[in-house]
Amino acid sequence: VQSGRRVASLYGYHGKALVVDLSSGAHRWDNIPEQVLRSFIGGIGLGTYLLYKYCPAGADPLGSDNPLIFAASPLVGSRLTTSSKFAVMTKSPLTGFIGDSLSSSFLATELKKSCGDALIIVGQAETPTLLFIEDGVPQFLDAAGLMGLGTFDTEQAVKERLGRQTRVASIGPAGENLVRYASIANDGGRQAGRCGPGAVMGSKNLKALALQGSQTVDVAMPGATHQYSLDLSKRSLGAATEKYRELGTMANVSVFNRLGTLPTRNFRESTFEGAEKVSGEHLHQEHLAKNASCANCTIGCEKILVTSDKGKKSKGRMEYESLFALGPLCGVDDPNTVIRAAAICDDLGMDTISAGVTIAWAMECFDKGLLSTNDTGGIDLSFGNGQAILDILELIGHRKDLGGLLAEGTKMAAERLGGGSSDWAMQVKGLEMPGYEPRSLKTMALGLAVTPRGACHNRSSAYEADFSKQVDRLSVDESRGIIAAESEDFEAVLDSLIWCKFLRKAFNDFYEESAQVYTMITGWDMSLDELKQAGERIHNLKKLFNIREGWSRRDDALPPRTLQEPLPTGVVAGVGLTQEELDYMIAGYYQARGWNDDGSVPDTKLAELGLLDLLPESSGVGIPT
């Protein structure tokens, strides 16, 4: 595709992606064939395909060859509830494997209006750059005056310069300083957070991306789409989403604590004595400033909290994962501290999960004597010291003193510090663990171990089997592999269309309705079985990317602590998870996937999914030895 015009015969898609080279200043439009669009849908799926194609094998995640990809979906612009989302894909500087993040904001709509179905940024600018793209035409503007600013001030400055209607994605000091879990902020502080895309953006000398566009796409069946949109919006206000509208995911603190699944003090315990003080109920009653919604959303799960002490007021977004990581995991029960810590992370442009887990690891190192006040600059890095968290976050974001080590993430930091600290580095494949205790959630334990991007609760919904009592969450059996595989494929479809995860239970039949919506939008017939296979295809391509980048069977693992130390307290005292149990579940998962015993993907599976024909010619498929 040599021009920016949409392929006339397409609905829901442009059929093209904008490629921008920061090194040369050149840009071009690349065609995306219909078969690719149908096979990988959009969002995470299309982003995975493009990453496999445009990222050279063995690329340095912080080198100029690693692409930074923003991918839209066919639903963006349709007005369907929760559909204003985009994916960010890159090779993760935290894991060396596939890195994918999602964010919800008006940037998604502007991305599709200005860059087609995806924006692929390659190369590296010589000086700090603001990339402004208007209707597919990039301008490379000087960003020297933006350097050092937090994400909120950066967005405001860009809008003052280019117009209030401009949509902005930016990095803060953490991205500039290549903190390996730096995030990309957009649209008023929302984050594409996990896997370190902000560090990749920083490595490209790209301080901010600004978008304006007018390129629209038509919907094949506008009447049917509008009617379905009204029906789904009504359902989204029902009982299926009540939890998210009321307390949001913060409600998990009390529930998880009661069940013994709330990671506390670096996963040493699974219940927290101060849980009530940082519970969703308490925060909602004492600290709620307002409820908010993402772009084009009828649910409104977002909670904006404000501090209540006499010090400097602070306000920020809060959900369970930030609350767990900056609260119980670090032994902190002061809600004012947790609110401030989350706000600092958002302004620095830093993933709250990885930041909290890394600090908790450092706190345990301090507790065990591997770090002292000489290493911390006099900071008492004991569990429960809230001020220490606030101070350390600033050091991490600016890579100062001990912050330089912690900016590497738990895996690399533990390898450098030594002293056996890798045993309590709570990460998988380099990505820090989310707020689910694997020893008391055995299906989730498998999901955390095998997911391609590392320890992740968003690319595997295996925990639902544990919480719903579909299985005994404290034991293992042969069903876990099938459950984990099906949950990953489900999430792949969800993240490719892209629907909000909190909408999933509002569908009467997710696959059937989603297939119908896809047909309404694109005009292409899509059956529920084809959509299910698309999820499996997308997940297998993620795995192929990792194999190409050096994955082997040993990477599907859990932190030593979870396999060596039974839980000490609470309702699940004495419960543990053994290596034998994990290996048993992983073997069942590989079998359910149709993979080889070593986790590699056989040609028969590639042929079944059509991947032998769909894989980009420029990339080879590696098989682990």
Side-chain angles (χ1 to χ4, degrees):
V1 177
Q2 298 300 321
S3 72
R5 283 183 282 178
R6 179 176 67 89
V7 178
S9 60
L10 291 182
Y11 294 98
Y13 294 109
H14 290 276
K16 61 192 178 70
L18 179 63
V19 183
V20 177
D21 189 337
L22 294 172
S23 297
S24 66
H27 72 281
R28 69 176 188 270
W29 291 97
D30 280 2
N31 180 57
I32 305 178
E34 176 182 325
Q35 185 183 15
V36 170
L37 296 173
R38 292 177 64 117
S39 298
F40 298 101
I41 305 173
I44 292 294
L46 179 60
T48 299
Y49 172 86
L50 296 173
L51 183 65
Y52 196 98
K53 178 177 180 179
Y54 287 89
C55 182
D60 179 354
L62 297 177
S64 61
D65 287 344
N66 187 22
L68 182 64
I69 300 170
F70 294 77
S73 88
L75 270 59
V76 171
S78 68
R79 303 298 298 168
L80 286 160
T81 184
T82 78
S83 63
S84 291
K85 292 178 175 289
F86 63 95
V88 180
M89 310 291 300
T90 193
K91 183 178 179 181
S92 170
L94 197 59
T95 70
F97 294 133
I98 193 167
D100 59 68
S101 293
L102 291 171
S103 190
S104 302
S105 77
F106 290 104
L107 185 79
T109 307
E110 216 63 31
L111 172 69
K112 195 166 181 178
K113 290 165 64 177
S114 58
C115 302
D117 297 313
L119 169 63
I120 303 163
I121 301 174
V122 299
Q124 184 180 60
E126 291 185 3
T127 58
T129 297
L130 162 61
L131 176 60
F132 176 40
I133 301 175
E134 186 174 14
D135 279 330
V137 180
Q139 298 179 49
F140 304 89
L141 307 178
D142 178 41
L146 301 175
M147 300 303 285
L149 295 181
T151 61
F152 296 102
D153 287 343
T154 298
E155 180 171 336
Q156 180 178 347
V158 172
K159 288 192 170 187
E160 289 174 356
R161 183 174 179 179
L162 299 176
R164 303 305 302 177
Q165 74 276 18
T166 306
R167 298 299 175 182
V168 181
S170 67
I171 57 172
E176 294 175 28
N177 292 301
L178 307 186
V179 175
R180 289 185 183 270
Y181 41 90
S183 60
I184 298 176
N186 59 96
D187 230 16
R190 292 179 175 86
Q191 308 287 330
R194 305 230 72 193
C195 300
V200 175
M201 194 162 166
S203 73
K204 295 184 176 302
N205 251 333
L206 182 59
K207 174 63 176 176
L209 167 69
L211 301 176
Q212 289 183 25
S214 60
Q215 306 173 55
T216 59
V217 294
D218 297 323
V219 171
M221 305 175 191
T225 303
H226 177 68
Q227 188 58 48
Y228 179 82
S229 178
L230 293 176
D231 178 49
L232 185 61
S233 294
K234 183 178 180 180
R235 278 186 268 158
S236 75
L237 297 173
T241 63
E242 183 177 4
K243 163 187 171 181
Y244 305 112
R245 295 196 313 274
E246 297 299 322
L247 294 181
T249 58
M250 297 188 303
N252 289 351
V253 171
S254 296
V255 176
F256 285 20
N257 194 58
R258 185 174 67 252
L259 296 174
T261 61
L262 177 63
T264 298
R265 281 180 280 271
N266 200 33
F267 285 80
R268 293 203 289 203
E269 303 148 69
S270 63
T271 57
F272 183 43
E273 68 281 359
E276 184 177 350
K277 295 180 181 179
V278 290
S279 67
E281 293 81 358
H282 177 77
L283 291 173
H284 191 272
Q285 182 176 356
E286 301 294 333
H287 296 272
L288 183 68
K290 65 175 182 177
N291 293 322
S293 296
C294 296
N296 197 32
C297 175
T298 51
I299 299 174
C301 72
E302 191 172 45
K303 310 303 173 189
I304 309 298
L305 304 185
V306 63
T307 52
S308 62
D309 59 7
K310 296 181 180 179
K312 181 181 178 182
K313 289 291 182 181
S314 185
K315 183 170 67 174
R317 291 177 171 83
M318 188 64 66
E319 39 72 46
Y320 168 69
E321 290 297 337
S322 298
L323 186 53
F324 126 82
L326 301 168
L329 194 71
C330 294
V332 172
D333 62 7
D334 175 32
N336 292 312
T337 296
V338 179
I339 294 168
R340 285 198 174 92
I344 289 171
C345 285
D346 285 349
D347 197 40
L348 289 171
M350 202 154 61
D351 175 33
T352 54
I353 300 176
S354 285
V357 174
T358 303
I359 291 174
W361 168 83
M363 285 179 158
E364 184 158 354
C365 291
F366 188 85
D367 184 54
K368 287 180 161 65
L370 290 179
L371 293 174
S372 69
T373 52
N374 291 330
D375 302 301
T376 65
I379 297 172
D380 177 8
L381 201 54
S382 299
F383 283 110
N385 187 346
Q387 185 59 48
I389 292 178
L390 304 182
D391 293 340
I392 289 293
L393 285 173
E394 293 287 354
L395 293 180
I396 293 172
H398 293 91
R399 273 194 180 265
K400 291 183 178 179
D401 304 325
L402 179 64
L405 175 67
L406 303 187
E408 296 295 288
T410 52
K411 183 176 187 290
M412 296 183 190
E415 289 170 353
R416 292 189 184 184
L417 184 63
S421 61
S422 291
D423 287 351
W424 59 87
M426 303 308 292
Q427 54 78 29
V428 176
K429 299 180 178 72
L431 185 65
E432 282 72 24
M433 297 267 283
Y436 295 76
E437 171 50 63
R439 285 163 288 190
S440 56
L441 297 168
K442 298 293 179 72
T443 320
M444 186 57 180
L446 173 60
L448 292 171
V450 299
T451 304
R453 81 166 180 171
C456 179
H457 64 296
N458 274 331
R459 302 297 176 262
S460 171
S461 54
Y463 57 85
E464 290 193 337
D466 293 321
F467 285 125
S468 67
K469 299 182 180 180
Q470 177 183 345
V471 295
D472 178 3
R473 65 186 176 95
L474 302 180
S475 65
V476 301
D477 59 45
E478 64 278 359
S479 71
R480 306 310 167 96
I482 296 173
I483 292 171
E486 289 181 347
S487 77
E488 289 172 333
D489 294 347
F490 173 85
E491 296 295 337
V493 173
L494 197 76
D495 295 339
S496 298
L497 279 170
I498 309 166
W499 296 115
C500 174
K501 295 186 186 304
F502 299 159
L503 191 66
R504 66 191 185 276
K505 294 187 182 300
F507 295 99
N508 296 319
D509 185 309
F510 170 77
Y511 281 112
E512 182 177 1
E513 289 186 44
S514 293
Q516 290 172 353
V517 168
Y518 186 84
T519 299
M520 292 176 196
I521 297 291
T522 66
W524 294 335
D525 289 336
M526 175 72 74
S527 69
L528 64 88
D529 289 333
E530 288 174 316
L531 202 57
K532 285 182 178 180
Q533 188 177 61
E536 185 181 6
R537 181 183 301 113
I538 291 163
H539 188 84
N540 273 264
L541 186 55
K542 290 182 183 182
K543 180 62 177 292
L544 291 179
F545 181 89
N546 281 2
I547 290 173
R548 196 187 74 183
E549 299 307 312
W551 176 92
S552 69
R553 168 63 182 82
R554 65 178 176 274
D555 291 305
D556 285 354
L558 287 174
R561 161 159 290 159
T562 63
L563 302 173
Q564 297 170 2
E565 302 175 20
L567 292 168
T569 59
V571 296
V572 290
V575 173
L577 175 67
T578 67
Q579 184 67 60
E580 290 74 21
E581 288 176 318
L582 181 60
D583 288 342
Y584 171 71
M585 290 192 292
I586 290 176
Y589 169 79
Y590 290 167
Q591 184 177 19
R593 282 256 171 239
W595 294 348
N596 297 323
D597 291 344
D598 63 355
S600 59
V601 185
D603 285 349
T604 52
K605 175 56 67 172
L606 298 179
E608 175 189 325
L609 297 173
L611 282 170
L612 289 177
D613 297 324
L614 288 167
L615 286 177
E617 294 181 1
S618 60
S619 302
V621 180
I623 299 297
T625 58

